[in-house]
Amino acid sequence: MSIPLLDLNRQYASIKTEIKEAIDEVLESQYFIMGDEVAEFEDKIRTYCNANHAFGCASGSDALLLALMAIDLQPGDYVLTSPFTFFATAGAISRLGGIPVFLDIEKDSYNLDPVQVKAFLEGEHPVFRKLNPDRDKIKAIIPVHLYGQMAEMDPITQLAKEHGLAVIEDAAQSIGAEYKGRRAGSIGDFGCFSFFPSKNLGAFGDAGLITVRDNSLADKTDILRLHGAKPKYHHSLVGINSRLDTIQAAVLSVKLKYLDDWSEKRRKIAQIYNQLFEEAGVVGSLDDCSGTCDAMGGNHCSLPENKIITPKETTGAQSANGKHIYHQYTIRSKKRDQLMEALKAGNIGHSVYYPIPLHEQECFAYLGYEPKDCPISHCASKQALSLPIFPELTLEEIKKVVATIVDVL
Ligand SMILES: Cc1ncc(COP(=O)(O)O)c(C=O)c1O
C-alpha cells in the first residue's frame, strides 16, 4: 500500500461531474477574464471569511504583493514577519525593495511570536540592534498562519495599532481557520490567500485572493490588480496584471461548498494521529524542548531522541473558539532523517516544510542574519516533518503511517 502526502485524485473523483459542468459553462460563455464567476466567487469568499472586501488575483504571492503595494511600501521600508514560512511571504517584501525583518516563532504553533515583535518594536531585540532601522520606515507586520493554524492575532494587532503599522495576514495555508471565532483574513488590514492546487481550497492551477478591511484601500487594491486602471485605460496608479481566471473561479466556487466538511475531516484525522501517537507513548512534552537548538552555540535540543512533538492547537485550546484546519499535520523529531528513510521505504508521502528558514537563505545574506537570531525557526527547520493528511485519508492508512513512525522511534 502506498500512501501519498496528498491525493487530489480522490477529491476530484467525488466532484467530477459538478466541476466539469462549471468549467463547461465558462467555455460556453468564452468569458475567460473577469467573467461573472469571478465576482460570484469573490462574493462567496467575502461572506465565508467574514471580510469587508475580497478581490481575486493570480496567486497568493500576488495577493501579498498587492497588499504591500496598497500600503505604498517603499524601497528601504521594513516589514516584520516570520522566517518559518514559504518564500513568497518575504519575496513580496523584497520585490518592492523592502527589508524583511525576521523574528522568531512560537515553539508550539510555529507562528510569529508576538513577544519577539514587541521586543523589536521597543528597540530591545538583537535583530533591532543588527538592522538599526529608522523607526519611521517600519511599515507593516505579516503574521503567517502556518500549517492551518492562526497566529496570535490579538497581541499582534494591538502592537500594530500602537506603532501605526499595517497588518497583512498571510492566510495562504489557512482558509477557514479561526482565532477566537474570527476567520483568517478578517482580522488584519489585508488577508492573502493562495489557491495553489495543494491548498485546502485548491484551484486547477495558480490562483489567489486578497481580502481588505478598509474601503479606500479596497478600491486601490481592486485597481492595482488591473494595471492601476479605472475606468479601463485610465491609469491613476501603476499596478500589475493579476486577475483570477474565470475558469479557476468556477472551479473554486464548486469546491468552496465542500470546504468546511473537508476541514472537519482533516481535524478528525489530526485527532486520530494525535491519539495513536499518544497511545504509543512517543509524544514528548514541549517543556522538553528548550528552544536552545544547535544554533545557540552548541546547545543541542533537549527533545528526547525517541519522542516527537505533535501539533498543538494553541490558539484553539487557549480561546476555545479557535480552529486549526490542518493544511499540514506536522510533527517534530530529532530523528527526522531516519523517519524519512522509513517512510520512503514504506512508500509513504512526506515533506519538510521548510528545510531552510528564510533568515538563513542566501538571498538575504546581505542583511547579516545568523541562525541564532531565530533559534526556534532554525530548530524547526531541522526537525519538522509533515505527514499525509487530506480529507479522504483512511484509518488504515493513518495507522500505517503511525506504525512506521513508532517503529523507528
Ligand atoms: C505561507 C504561504 N504564503 C504564500 C504562498 C504563496 O502562494 P502562491 O503559491 O499561490 O503564490 C504560499 C503558497 O504556496 C504559502 O504557503
Side-chain angles (χ1 to χ4, degrees), residues 59-61 64 85-86 88-89 144 170 172-173 194 196 199 206-207 354:
S59 66
S61 304
L64 288 159
T85 174
F86 181 60
T89 315
V144 181
D170 183 339
Q173 300 187 6
S194 165
F196 185 82
K199 295 292 194 276
D206 276 312
Y354 294 92

Side-chain angles (χ1 to χ4, degrees), residues 263-277 310-311 313 324-326 328-330 388-389 393 398:
S263 297
E264 278 315 310
K265 288 188 170 134
R266 285 172 177 270
R267 286 171 58 74
K268 182 82 193 145
I269 290 165
Q271 266 175 21
I272 297 171
Y273 266 130
N274 285 348
Q275 191 187 334
L276 294 177
F277 282 131
T310 49
E313 280 198 50
H324 193 324
I325 48 96
Y326 290 97
Q328 299 296 339
Y329 180 88
T330 303
I389 192 161
L393 192 69
I398 301 169

Side-chain angles (χ1 to χ4, degrees), residues 187-263:
I187 301 179
D189 299 289
F190 300 89
C192 301
F193 293 91
S194 165
F195 305 123
F196 185 82
S198 64
K199 295 292 194 276
N200 290 22
L201 181 63
F204 286 3
D206 276 312
L209 180 135
I210 181 166
T211 53
V212 190
R213 171 200 294 283
D214 175 87
N215 294 346
S216 62
L217 283 176
D219 288 344
K220 193 170 172 190
T221 308
D222 184 16
I223 66 169
L224 277 170
R225 69 176 168 158
L226 304 168
H227 279 304
K230 195 174 190 178
K232 209 171 178 184
Y233 305 124
H234 292 71
H235 299 263
S236 52
L237 297 165
V238 178
I240 57 174
N241 171 16
S242 184
R243 298 169 295 219
L244 174 65
D245 284 344
T246 312
I247 284 183
Q248 301 300 355
V251 168
L252 290 164
S253 268
V254 171
K255 288 194 174 192
L256 183 60
K257 290 190 281 183
Y258 302 97
L259 184 61
D260 281 342
D261 178 45
W262 291 338
S263 297

